[in-house]
């Protein structure tokens, strides 16, 4: 389990909160941060997956706990954020917040209903704002050093793509939210960055990687000729959260195998 070679600078004994931690990119990020020596508080809806991950990481000696929460619900977000703050209060407080919770839904623009719009925007964007405000405030009030927030966006936040107006708008919003947070929190020493993954093999992209014809169309769009792995996004998130990225803020790191390069 212990990673061979040098660990990333400034992650050991940092306290990190990861949302959307039960599957996919969030799950991989938790494992990577734990390998780098972080203590963790993990959040998602599926309690059994969070429990299993906690047990696994505790077995490796990590300090870790979880709270189940539905991030379309304001009360759940506030509750989970406050439990996380309490959990880390005796350990030096939260240093890292990874806002990753989200989903994908494809729907043609003219068929897109306001319920779908609200669900997507609430889950991906409003939750990012809400938990960042609560935890960001805690970071500022305590004058904590070395704090960093990493927001999940997407290549869909940088370009339009058919059948996902609500998904694209939420991801575009995540980029401008990131830049605004970076401006306002920079004076407190808090760095705020976004990651923009392209096509990554997780639950939400199963219709692509599970269908050889669709997968081949995608492979042709990617300079590396393959789709990405959750661990490849987790590595970028860990980098942005670490002291290796100490002069990087307000940035969007694209992790897309070259999709947007042509
Ligand atoms: N995969 C890609 O190609 C790709 C590309 C760009 C961006 N992204 C973004 O990356 C993030 C992670 O997605 P993924 O690809 O890893 O998909 P995933 O495997 O389905 O993971 C999504 C995570 O978000 C959580 N989540 C979903 N709805 C939630 C809700 N209502 N409340 C709380 N947590 C919720 C899920 O946990 P529960 O179901 O247990 O709640 C899960 O842990 C998303 O924001 C997605 O938009 C993905």
């Amino acid at each position: 389990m212990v990673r061979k070679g040098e660990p990333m600078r400034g992650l050991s004994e940092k306290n990190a909160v990861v949302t959307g931690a039960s599957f996919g990119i969030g799950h991989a990020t938790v494992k990577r941060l734990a390998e780098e020596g972080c203590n963790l508080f993990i959040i998602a809806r599926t309690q059994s997956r969070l429990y299993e991950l906690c047990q696994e990481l505790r077995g490796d000696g990590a300090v870790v706990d979880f709270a189940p929460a539905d991030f379309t619900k304001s009360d759940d977000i506030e509750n989970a954020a406050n439990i996380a703050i309490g959990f880390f209060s005796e350990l030096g407080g939260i240093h890292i917040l990874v806002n990753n919770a989200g989903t994908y839904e494809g729907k043609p623009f003219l068929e897109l209903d306001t319920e779908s719009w609200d669900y997507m925007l609430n889950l991906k964007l409003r939750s990012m704002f809400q938990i960042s405000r609560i935890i960001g405030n805690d970071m500022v009030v305590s004058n904590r050093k070395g704090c960093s927030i990493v927001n999940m966006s997407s290549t869909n936040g940088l370009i339009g793509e058919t059948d996902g107006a609500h998904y694209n708008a939420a991801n575009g919003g995540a980029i401008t939210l990131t830049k605004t947070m970076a401006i306002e929190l920079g004076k407190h020493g808090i760095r705020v960055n976004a990651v923009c993954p392209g096509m990554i093999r997780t639950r939400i992209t199963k219709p692509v990687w599970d269908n050889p014809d669709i997968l081949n169309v995608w492979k042709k769009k990617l300079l590396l000729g393959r789709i990405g792995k959750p661990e490849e996004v987790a590595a970028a998130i860990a980098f942005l959260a670490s002291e290796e990225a100490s002069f990087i803020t307000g940035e969007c790191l694209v992790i897309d195998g070259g999709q947007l390069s042509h």
Side-chain angles (χ1 to χ4, degrees):
M1 173 61 164
V2 174
R3 185 171 291 273
K4 293 208 171 100
E6 287 297 306
M8 277 189 187
R9 216 159 41 92
L11 280 178
S12 178
E13 295 304 320
K14 283 277 177 76
N15 301 324
V17 176
V18 180
T19 76
S22 52
F23 293 94
I25 295 167
H27 192 269
T29 301
V30 171
K31 293 186 90 161
R32 178 62 190 259
L33 291 176
E35 285 171 15
E36 297 287 348
C38 288
N39 305 314
L40 283 142
F41 191 87
I42 60 178
I43 305 169
R45 289 171 304 180
T46 311
Q47 194 156 345
S48 56
R49 292 275 302 181
L50 297 176
Y51 177 77
E52 276 168 28
L53 185 53
C54 273
Q55 290 299 91
E56 181 188 334
L57 298 179
R58 283 177 189 145
D60 291 326
V63 175
V64 52
D65 207 351
F66 72 93
D70 181 343
F71 265 37
T72 61
K73 298 183 178 150
S74 273
D75 289 351
D76 273 27
I77 296 167
E78 195 174 324
N79 193 36
N82 286 326
I83 297 172
I85 289 169
F87 176 65
F88 282 129
S89 62
E90 301 292 313
L91 296 167
I94 298 166
H95 302 103
I96 296 164
L97 170 62
V98 180
N99 284 314
N100 164 74
T103 190
Y104 174 79
E105 180 193 43
K107 247 185 197 175
F109 177 71
L110 294 179
E111 292 166 25
L112 189 54
D113 48 279
T114 51
E115 286 76 19
S116 291
W117 176 274
D118 288 347
Y119 187 88
M120 187 63 73
L121 271 286
N122 286 344
L123 173 55
K124 282 198 60 83
L125 192 55
R126 192 186 66 180
S127 76
M128 188 178 283
F129 149 69
Q130 198 185 346
I131 192 168
S132 297
R133 192 186 50 186
I134 297 169
I135 291 180
N137 202 43
D138 176 64
M139 290 170 171
V140 169
V141 166
S142 63
N143 197 24
R144 202 169 299 136
K145 303 297 174 215
C147 291
S148 168
I149 298 174
V150 183
N151 290 330
M152 175 58 67
S153 180
S154 166
T155 46
N156 292 59
L158 294 163
I159 54 161
E161 194 175 270
T162 190
D163 291 349
H166 50 342
Y167 184 73
N168 302 341
N171 283 306
I175 292 172
T176 44
L177 175 62
T178 298
K179 289 181 184 293
T180 311
M181 286 166 60
I183 293 166
E184 297 199 25
L185 299 180
K187 58 180 172 285
H188 301 286
I190 303 170
R191 295 182 301 104
V192 187
N193 292 290
V195 286
C196 296
M199 181 57 68
I200 310 296
R201 186 186 170 107
T202 67
R203 279 193 311 183
I204 64 172
T205 53
K206 191 167 189 287
V208 171
W209 51 259
D210 213 23
N211 180 322
D213 294 334
I214 301 177
L215 183 59
N216 274 333
V217 171
W218 267 95
K219 282 181 175 174
K220 288 191 183 116
K221 291 191 199 182
L222 305 175
L223 301 188
L224 298 180
R226 65 171 178 85
I227 67 170
K229 301 176 211 155
E231 292 76 16
E232 292 174 309
V233 182
I237 292 172
F239 165 68
L240 288 173
S242 79
E243 288 300 310
E244 309 277 358
S246 54
F247 203 49
I248 302 177
T249 195
E251 193 53 74
C252 309
L253 182 52
V254 175
I255 308 145
D256 70 344
Q259 181 196 333
L260 297 190
S261 297
H262 62 115

